Amino acid sequence: MADRTQTAVIGGGPGGYVAAFRAADLGQQVTLIDLDDDPGGVCLYRGCIPSKALLHVAKLLAEAREAEEWGISFGNPKIDLDKLRAFKDRVVANMTGGLGQLAKGRKVTYVQGRARFTGAQSLAVETAEGTQELEFDNAVLATGSRPTILPALDIGSDNIMDSTGALELADVPERLLVVGGGIIGLELGQVYSALGSAVSVVEMTDGLVPPGDRDLVRVLHKRLEGQFEQVRLQTKVTSVSEGEGHLQVTMEPADGDDSVESYDRILLSIGRRPNSEDIGLENTRVQVGELGFVQVDLQRRTAEPTIFAVGDVIGSALAHTASHEGIVAAEVIAGKRSAFEPKAIPSVVYTDPELAWCGLTEAEAKAQGRTVKVSRFPWGASGRAATLDRNDGVTKLIVDPESERILGVGIAGPGASELIAEGVLAVEMAAVVDDVALSIHPHPTLSETMMEAAEFFHGLSPHVMPPRR
């Protein structure tokens, strides 16, 4: 490692490595610092990628069971955990190794180590060979986040996992309790359920996936009730004790008496905390909020002019958001006019069915007192959904009633993660409903539901009766 670089990037996740690669493409001399062997961060090593590999397997298992209703029987599947684990690890290794090669191809200096700021333009980098000072012109902070720990569950038990531990697939517990009904907990809950665990979920709020609109979440909730042993809402875990190989969990519902249940393992998934501590920010003018998030402007510049920050550490808890922020930071460093001002950031729940939304949600419109018109197309009227035997989904548009501009899109159903991209484009391009309605979509496809939702806005969908006037 040289003792000076133009751009230093701390953290090799989707925000960090994308920032490093874009900076290198723009002619910067770049040093990328991370603890892992190759770039990738939590997303590739311990998050997005391994979880989606396992969700693919879970969906396959679920469809094999459902096929009996279509006249095809495969018998009970035989699950080889070692091979499944190896598949997941191979996917991770191939992707992270590929990023390592891309870093070399761009002449990005990759340093495996831990970096701490010693000043506004200097770092102390700890590696296996020792600590070295690195001076820089500009730096991008992309240190990510870590799972939040619930004090009641912090009893030092190996049978209490966070998302990282759950992805290791040490075993398939007979009974698993997922604490937290958010995206990560439900995704991994479905994985373990498909593999054979009796899964229960406990959530302290009155609904699963709190950020999502309720009509979308209901589609998922109904399916989970048939897959999971229990779904408990408005319930808190107040204590956990371990004995004789089981975890005794005391739960307190909002209305009712406490109950005690026994589980083999617990998956704790109640959110993540930013990694903004112990990285030397006190030696700079970088400002950190009460919850630990680093404060930035539209260019992702901190209060220290030479330091930028992106991703989880500033509260942008989506990999694709972090990547775009990394691009903005790199372009600003290179002297380009750039800012992070998206109109639609897609959120996706990769369960089965998937949920996805972008732009303005119905709940946000209500909270803002904003008048909108919602046009829903039920998948019960979709020919493609019928061929998949999955007609419980819905596609909806959130529309400004005067201009008829599409302000938001929500989808619940298989493939929602892919379908939402059209919604993002519609919102970003300020499309009106007729732009989508007049765009010919292939038939039969699930993408047609976007077109039909737009047609239904004027009561013109051929497959749904128009609303009464």
Side-chain angles (χ1 to χ4, degrees):
M1 183 176 70
D3 58 7
R4 181 168 185 81
T5 188
Q6 286 180 298
T7 299
V9 181
I10 303 98
Y17 80 73
V18 170
F21 291 1
R22 178 57 64 91
D25 292 344
L26 293 172
Q28 292 280 303
Q29 177 196 14
V30 182
T31 300
L32 175 58
I33 307 160
D34 191 85
L35 289 169
D36 289 313
D37 294 338
D38 285 300
V42 169
C43 178
L44 269 71
Y45 280 98
R46 298 169 290 279
C48 318
I49 298 303
S51 67
K52 302 312 167 282
L54 295 180
L55 280 164
H56 170 67
V57 173
K59 191 172 189 299
L60 178 65
L61 290 169
E63 287 186 337
R65 297 183 182 109
E66 292 168 0
E68 293 186 9
E69 299 181 12
W70 313 327
I72 299 176
S73 178
F74 294 98
N76 291 327
K78 294 180 180 179
I79 299 172
D80 186 328
L81 270 187
D82 290 336
K83 283 189 176 181
L84 178 55
R85 202 181 298 114
F87 160 67
K88 179 257 301 180
D89 293 342
R90 185 170 66 252
V91 170
V92 171
N94 287 343
M95 293 198 67
T96 55
L99 288 175
Q101 292 301 313
L102 288 172
K104 290 177 182 178
R106 285 180 163 89
K107 294 182 170 42
V108 171
T109 300
Y110 185 75
V111 178
Q112 189 175 1
R114 180 185 297 277
R116 291 182 176 84
F117 289 98
T118 55
Q121 292 184 293
S122 60
L123 292 165
V125 183
E126 298 175 14
T127 69
E129 289 75 36
T131 301
Q132 181 177 335
E133 285 288 325
L134 176 66
E135 295 183 353
F136 58 82
D137 295 330
N138 292 282
V140 179
L141 181 63
T143 46
S145 64
R146 63 191 184 278
T148 298
I149 303 298
L150 191 66
L153 275 69
D154 191 13
I155 63 172
S157 171
D158 292 336
N159 290 319
I160 299 178
M161 312 177 290
D162 57 19
S163 58
T164 301
L167 288 168
E168 292 298 322
L169 275 184
D171 57 23
V172 178
E174 184 176 341
R175 297 192 77 209
L176 171 69
L177 176 65
V178 178
V179 180
I183 296 174
I184 297 173
L186 296 183
E187 288 180 356
L188 292 175
Q190 275 200 326
V191 168
Y192 276 88
S193 175
L195 294 176
S197 294
V199 176
S200 294
V201 175
V202 58
E203 165 62 37
M204 66 181 297
T205 69
D206 61 359
L208 300 176
V209 194
D213 278 339
R214 294 302 91 192
D215 58 339
L216 303 181
V217 176
R218 275 195 297 270
V219 179
L220 172 60
H221 192 146
K222 184 177 180 180
R223 191 168 180 85
L224 291 180
E225 286 181 327
Q227 294 177 335
F228 289 177
E229 187 175 40
Q230 288 183 321
V231 177
R232 297 185 178 215
L233 302 177
Q234 293 184 293
T235 303
K236 297 180 181 179
V237 173
T238 56
S239 68
V240 177
S241 61
E242 188 170 25
E244 299 182 1
H246 294 283
L247 297 164
Q248 301 296 319
V249 183
T250 302
M251 288 176 275
E252 178 187 309
D255 52 349
D257 298 327
D258 291 2
S259 63
V260 179
E261 296 278 352
S262 177
Y263 298 94
D264 298 290
R265 280 185 178 269
I266 293 175
L267 167 57
L268 180 59
S269 180
I270 57 170
R272 300 182 66 86
R273 298 172 57 192
N275 292 328
S276 57
E277 303 162 353
D278 195 28
I279 54 176
L281 293 182
E282 67 277 6
N283 299 318
T284 71
R285 288 183 287 176
V286 174
Q287 295 181 358
V288 179
E290 291 183 7
L291 299 178
F293 296 112
V294 172
Q295 307 298 298
V296 296
D297 62 15
L298 289 178
Q299 294 185 316
R300 283 352 191 201
R301 194 192 301 269
T302 69
E304 185 67 75
T306 57
I307 300 175
F308 297 72
V310 302
D312 283 13
V313 76
I314 67 170
S316 299
L318 296 169
H320 43 275
T321 304
S323 293
H324 280 263
E325 290 174 331
I327 290 170
V328 168
E331 290 182 344
V332 172
I333 288 171
K336 292 183 174 293
R337 295 184 63 183
S338 187
F340 188 73
E341 299 179 289
K343 297 296 183 185
I345 298 175
S347 294
V348 179
V349 186
Y350 291 91
T351 47
D352 182 25
E354 293 181 340
L355 311 182
W357 62 90
C358 70
L360 185 70
T361 68
E362 217 174 332
E364 288 171 342
K366 183 177 180 180
Q368 295 171 14
R370 185 167 185 172
T371 301
V372 295
K373 184 175 179 180
V374 180
S375 182
R376 291 181 179 83
F377 183 79
W379 285 22
S382 163
R384 184 61 175 136
T387 68
L388 299 174
D389 197 18
R390 296 298 299 273
N391 58 5
D392 55 344
V394 63
T395 298
K396 69 173 182 178
L397 307 180
I398 313 297
V399 181
D400 181 277
E402 295 184 3
S403 66
E404 299 188 358
R405 176 181 170 180
I406 297 173
L407 304 175
V409 177
I411 306 171
S417 61
E418 306 292 345
L419 299 174
I420 196 60
E422 183 178 357
V424 173
L425 183 62
V427 175
E428 287 288 356
M429 297 297 291
V432 296
V433 288
D434 282 349
D435 291 328
V436 176
L438 294 174
S439 298
I440 299 176
H441 288 59
H443 174 78
T445 62
L446 297 177
S447 67
E448 279 180 301
T449 63
M450 280 284 294
M451 177 186 71
E452 300 241 30
E455 291 175 332
F456 188 67
F457 180 83
H458 292 299
L460 298 176
S461 170
H463 300 110
V464 179
M465 288 297 295
R468 294 179 180 179
R469 300 188 182 280

